[in-house]
Amino acid sequence: MRFKFILLFLPILLFANSQKDILLLHSYNIGLKWTDNITKGVREVFDKYPDYELTTECMDSKKINSKVYFNTLKKLYEQKFSSRNYKVILVADNYALNFVVNNHKKIFNNAPIVFCGIENYEEMNIPENIKKQMTGVIEYKQITKNIQVISKVIPKLNTLYIISDDTLSSLAIKNQIIEESKQFTDKINIIYDNKIDINTIVGKVNKLPKNSAVLFTSLYRDIKGRYVIYNKLRQLFNNSKYPVFAINKIHLGEGIIGGVVVDPEEQGRLAGLKAFELIKGKKSIQDIPIETPDSKYYFDYHILKKYNIDFKNIPEDAIIINKPKTFFEEYRKVIDNTFLLMPIFVLLILGLIVNIIKKIRLENRLLEQSKLDKVLLNNIQSIVYWESKDNKLLGCNDALCTSLNISKKEIMKKEIKEIMPEINKLFSESDKFIEQIETEITLGTKEFEALIRRKKYLNKDNEEAGIVTIISDVTQIKILENQRKKNEQFLIHRSKLSEMGEMITSIAHQWKTPLIEISTIAQELLYKRSRKSFTQEDSREIVDEIMTQVSYMTDTIDNFRDFVKPSLKKSKFEINSAIVELLKVVEHNIKYNYIEVNLDFKNNKSFTIYGYPNEFKQCILSIINNSKDSILKRKQTNNALEGKIDIKVEDEGSHTCIYIKDNGIGIEDGHLERIFEPFFTSKKDGDGFGLYMVKLIIEEKMDGSIEALKCNQGAIIKICIKK
């Protein structure tokens, strides 16, 4: 029972082991720039490997984070993921990591974890057994560096207003912001505000004192619990009286001036690479280090100009977006091309010259080919013409003009029904396209048997453009074909006459015994009549004996007559009775030469085929005579040889096959295929027509096949005919 259970679930287990699924669990929602950029970075890695399926799931914790919601989410994820065996779990931000850690075994089946976007990782309370299955990318926001660069960009800075909220990710760095900003409080008035009303924040910022700046950290939910859509943040950045700096690259190009920013796309890419190393088994998870990527300086040229910032105050290694190109950068290609202009012109001129020469040569070749095609076309005795889709003549060879006794100029562009109404009628009345037809037609003044072949031709766009027609006069071919059939029939008859000689010899032997019997009976009649005791009963007995012998002789002649008479048409006939009837005719000749004939009808089945019965008998007789001659030749060197001819009939697929085997001298390997060729013979007095005619009858009249098989002793002839 246990074994059956394992077999039942084996395909499921194999499928589970063959999965290449990766789960990317986001703390936030799709559409959030932070989330979308992390996904973009991860996909940049896995899009190169289509064998791996990346499933993305979002917890949407920025919009809702109640305990009831997370309990519901837990039940949902338990249904969705507990039966899946992910190769690795990619988690983005603290909400997702906490959730995976708390449900690592129950929902996520202890899958390896690769995280990104995690703040204050060292302060998280993660069990050691789970930590051993984790690696990833820590997010560290450079608060100190940002305040330093703000002070440098705005030399007279007196107030820095820091915007945040009270979501989990913001609270994770709250203490970092407060602690790192303390070192600047003796020079700058720093205001940390995480109680923001999104509807009043712009007015609040614009009331700041002169030489102020704003450092934006995050704002996903305001003080009234409202989710802040990104358009509201864009309005804040663009309507602020003072420059707004940020610590996240996602806000770049949306109205912020710049800052030392973290890049979510880079974090996603790094996490994806770590996951790929883990999946491919390049490294164990303990050998893949947790890393913290460096933040980079980014600034927006348009916003720097908006607030009249001196570019000398921007760090040298800063990346500036939207920066206008210098004259050299703008026209770099033109300048570079200028230096290459002369060589290019020279090469271009040379190329044009070569191209013109090639074009002239090609035109000459095309002209020569056109002339050659014209000669070839006009030397074809058949009529060739081509017409358009609307049945107008587009071209023809001279044979058509000669047949119609009209010049090519007179018939060009005319409709086929005007030029050749009989041929047009032949094809226009048919719903289907006729490719080939053989019929008697009149063209001009000539009436002849014609083979008409037609093909559609296509234009350069592979669309039907018209039809090419070839009309061949096959009158002479028909005559020759009929003559060939007559010759073939003559050869068959000649072959039959040859076999008749053998049969007449056999009949002579068969008649010899009954004639002797009749002679003896006649003498007995004379003897009995000389006696007085001769009665009418004795007379009747003698007559009956004579009639018995005459009947035997009559049957022999009837069998011979049936063989000689040709079959007028194909019909269904039984192989078994055909072979038995044939053997009756040659029975005495076979026995006289001490040859035993064995018949084997597989499973005593009656085998029926469709063909010409008498011609079939002729073929079998010809092969049996060849076998008899082969056995007699072998007996010349071995008097004790018991001659045997075995005839076996059986079905093989859609064919019925007859095997005729003898123990004569056999056929040389090199002659197995040649014995059916005309005039080929191994007999001293043979003419090489017997087996050739057998092949002709079997293949052309009976739609069958014949071959000589390799045999260790004697010969085997195999005949196969469709049922």
Side-chain angles (χ1 to χ4, degrees), residues 144-188:
T144 299
K145 280 190 175 183
N146 266 292
I147 297 175
Q148 286 173 344
V149 78
I150 293 169
S151 300
K152 187 177 180 182
V153 171
I154 305 173
K156 295 180 181 181
L157 178 69
N158 60 28
T159 301
L160 179 62
Y161 184 66
I162 302 175
I163 296 176
S164 187
D165 61 15
D166 59 357
T167 58
L168 180 66
S169 58
S170 298
L171 293 174
I173 63 166
K174 178 179 178 181
N175 292 333
Q176 178 193 348
I177 295 171
I178 293 170
E179 286 300 318
E180 291 189 29
S181 62
K182 283 180 181 179
Q183 57 185 305
F184 301 98
T185 53
D186 57 336
K187 297 178 182 178
I188 308 167

Side-chain angles (χ1 to χ4, degrees), residues 514 518 545-555:
I518 290 170
E545 287 181 10
I546 292 171
M547 290 309 296
T548 299
Q549 298 301 325
V550 170
S551 177
Y552 173 77
M553 294 169 71
T554 302
D555 289 342

Side-chain angles (χ1 to χ4, degrees), residues 242-260:
Y242 301 104
V244 180
F245 293 81
I247 59 175
N248 197 322
K249 190 183 176 185
I250 63 173
H251 305 305
L252 203 65
E254 302 290 346
I256 69 162
I257 194 167
V260 186

